[in-house]
């Protein structure tokens, strides 16, 4: 094993860090405004998507057809200097259609045949998995390694994906015909699950003006891959006090039925309605999302409110509800809100 080389970079001064944070806030604002030229309304959806982008995570967009989920991803891709690919998920889509496959090639000079790997659309840096729940579980699982390890393994060979790499998937929550619900292992690899709702009256009127007239809004690229990676590194340097970190951990533990921190105790909503709680990835999503929120709000440290602001996004898809929740028509969003209300902020044990 090689000996790690010491970091010879000169430490940044507080003034340099402050300047970088201000530049990040300005970039975040410009990116949000540029997307707003095409995507009307849905400000919280756009902001949540950008938070996940800078936190370095994948996003699942859920909403009925026609609300602009695909448009949002395409517009985001146009605002970034990154290779983009769209995969339309269908029941007959095969894993090789996503990650690529080995094909037989022949050397023109020697006539020798050999296998050559042909890369699939997953080798872009922004990948739109459109209607992801229409593909079979076998095809859905082709994304697992790419989403977590940022690599693809074919026939024993591992191919690294170029960073930054994001999967942004869409799905329809109400149409069940010909769909395959995403397994928990797949859902857990999405940093956020974002619910896309209907437009307000003024927003809908603006949509009609833009889509039924002759003018077509155009967006300009704002960031490239290097700048995104630098921003992600800056985000990870945001300060999280021990008591805030413990609060995020207790929020996750509060989703575990039968656990020490189960929300509301023995008779609380966790034990009553949840069959399986959030994984540690939920706590990671809370902290990373909270760091982005803090910096975009002009602060250099993460507070309780930052954690709470991203709690629904980070936890709603990581709760497996039981039959009683379905019978009482209790959904994950309601449970996450109750868990936040029942989880005290005061530190219990800080290591």
């Amino acid at each position: 094993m090689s000996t790690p080389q010491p970091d010879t970079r000169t430490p940044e001064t507080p003034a340099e860090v402050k300047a970088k944070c201000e530049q990040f806030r300005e970039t975040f604002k410009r990116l949000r405004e540029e997307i707003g030229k095409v995507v009307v309304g849905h400000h919280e959806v756009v902001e949540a998507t950008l938070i996940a982008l800078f936190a370095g995570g994948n996003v699942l967009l859920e909403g009925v057809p026609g609300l602009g989920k695909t448009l949002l991803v395409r517009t985001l891709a146009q605002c970034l200097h990154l290779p983009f690919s769209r995969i339309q998920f269908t029941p007959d889509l095969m894993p090789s259609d996503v990650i690529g496959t080995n094909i037989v090639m022949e050397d023109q000079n020697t006539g020798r045949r050999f296998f050559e790997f042909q890369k699939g659309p997953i080798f872009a840096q922004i990948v739109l998995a459109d209607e992801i729940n229409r593909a079979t579980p076998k095809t859905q699982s082709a994304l697992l390694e790419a989403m977590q390890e940022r690599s693809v393994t074919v026939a024993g060979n591992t191919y690294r994906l170029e960073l930054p790499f994001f999967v942004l998937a869409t799905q329809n929550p109400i149409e069940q015909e010909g769909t395959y619900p995403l397994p928990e292992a797949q859902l857990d690899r999405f940093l956020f699950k974002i619910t896309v709702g209907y437009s307000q009256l003024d927003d809908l009127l603006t949509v009609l003006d833009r889509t039924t007239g002759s003018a077509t809004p155009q967006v300009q690229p704002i960031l490239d891959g290097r700048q995104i990676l630098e921003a992600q590194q800056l985000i990870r340097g945001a300060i999280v006090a021990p008591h805030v970190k413990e609060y995020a951990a207790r929020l996750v533990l509060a989703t575990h039925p039968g656990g020490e921190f189960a929300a509301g105790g023995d008779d609380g909503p966790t034990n009553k309605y949840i069959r399986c709680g959030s994984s540690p990835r939920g706590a990671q999503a809370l902290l990373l999302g909270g760091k982005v929120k803090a910096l975009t709000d002009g602060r250099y440290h993460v507070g309780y409110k930052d954690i709470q602001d991203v709690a629904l996004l980070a936890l709603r898809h990581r709760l497996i509800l039981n039959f009683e929740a379905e019978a009482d028509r209790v959904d994950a969003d309601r449970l996450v809100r109750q868990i936040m209300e029942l989880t005290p902020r005061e530190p219990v044990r800080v290591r």
Side-chain angles (χ1 to χ4, degrees):
M1 181 181 295
S2 61
T3 303
Q5 297 298 317
D7 190 349
T8 58
R9 293 176 299 178
T10 304
E12 294 179 325
T13 65
E16 291 173 334
V17 174
K18 182 179 179 181
K20 284 188 175 182
C21 292
E22 291 175 352
Q23 183 180 8
F24 168 73
R25 285 193 292 274
E26 181 62 28
T27 300
F28 191 96
K29 179 181 177 183
R30 286 178 57 206
L31 197 53
R32 184 172 52 196
E33 292 173 349
E34 201 68 23
I35 294 174
K37 293 179 180 179
V38 176
V39 179
V40 181
H42 298 302
H43 303 296
E44 293 181 353
V45 173
V46 173
E47 180 163 327
T49 303
L50 293 180
I51 290 174
L53 169 76
F54 289 110
N58 308 297
V59 171
L60 177 62
L61 295 161
E62 184 176 86
V64 299
L67 298 183
K69 303 183 296 296
T70 301
L71 178 64
L72 168 60
V73 179
R74 288 174 52 197
T75 304
L76 174 63
Q78 292 171 2
C79 293
L80 305 174
H81 286 285
L82 295 177
F84 168 71
S85 69
R86 172 180 176 174
I87 308 172
Q88 187 65 50
F89 279 67
T90 56
D92 61 346
L93 191 73
M94 298 298 292
S96 58
D97 297 326
V98 176
I99 63 177
T101 186
N102 285 318
I103 64 173
V104 178
M105 303 291 290
E106 183 175 333
D107 191 311
Q108 297 293 337
N109 297 324
T110 64
R112 185 180 63 88
R113 294 183 178 182
F114 58 94
F115 284 106
E116 183 176 288
F117 179 64
Q118 296 292 320
K119 295 181 178 180
I122 196 68
F123 281 86
Q125 289 182 263
I126 297 185
V127 177
L128 167 58
D130 211 9
E131 296 186 287
I132 188 173
N133 57 333
R134 287 199 173 278
T136 62
K138 181 178 181 180
T139 302
Q140 291 176 10
S141 65
L143 292 172
L144 292 178
E145 181 184 356
M147 292 174 65
Q148 182 63 32
E149 282 88 25
R150 303 301 196 261
S151 64
V152 170
T153 301
V154 179
N157 296 317
T158 299
Y159 304 89
R160 301 299 302 178
L161 298 171
E162 187 174 356
L163 299 180
F165 173 81
F166 307 99
V167 172
L168 297 103
T170 68
Q171 72 173 9
N172 177 1
I174 60 174
E175 189 173 5
Q176 303 302 322
E177 186 71 23
T179 62
Y180 303 85
L182 294 177
E184 284 71 26
Q186 184 91 42
L187 287 171
D188 201 32
R189 282 165 169 77
F190 288 103
L191 185 81
F192 288 166
K193 178 182 177 182
I194 303 172
T195 302
V196 183
Y198 290 103
S199 299
Q200 301 296 319
L201 175 60
D202 291 342
D203 293 335
L204 183 56
L205 291 173
T206 303
V207 169
L208 293 175
D209 290 338
R210 292 186 182 181
T211 57
T212 61
S214 57
T216 303
Q218 300 292 329
V219 298
Q220 300 297 322
I222 302 295
L223 287 175
D224 59 20
R226 178 188 59 80
Q227 292 170 314
I228 293 173
L229 291 175
E230 289 177 353
Q232 290 175 353
Q233 192 65 31
L234 177 69
I235 294 299
R236 288 180 174 269
I239 299 171
V240 184
H243 58 278
V244 176
K245 186 182 299 182
E246 190 206 274
Y247 174 69
R250 282 190 286 110
L251 270 183
V252 169
L253 294 177
T255 68
H256 296 174
E260 176 185 357
F261 298 99
D266 294 339
D267 299 324
T270 295
N271 286 327
K272 185 176 182 180
Y273 293 122
I274 298 178
R275 180 159 57 92
C276 186
S278 170
S279 73
R281 288 194 184 104
Q284 294 169 349
L286 288 173
L287 285 186
L288 288 172
K291 288 183 177 186
V292 180
K293 282 289 295 181
L295 289 188
T296 55
D297 287 345
R299 290 173 285 106
Y300 309 105
H301 64 278
V302 180
Y304 291 120
K305 187 176 183 303
D306 299 315
I307 301 296
Q308 293 175 335
D309 285 344
V310 299
L312 276 177
L313 300 167
L315 299 179
R316 57 162 55 116
H317 56 299
R318 292 186 164 95
L319 305 184
I320 303 176
L321 309 187
N322 57 25
F323 176 77
E324 192 167 355
E326 183 178 353
D328 291 348
R329 297 184 178 181
V330 176
D331 61 13
D333 284 16
R334 176 178 168 184
L335 284 172
V336 172
R337 292 189 179 97
Q338 290 180 341
I339 288 170
M340 284 194 289
E341 291 174 359
L342 294 170
T343 302
R345 293 183 175 184
E346 292 74 21
V348 175
R349 56 179 71 161
V350 179
R351 297 183 184 277

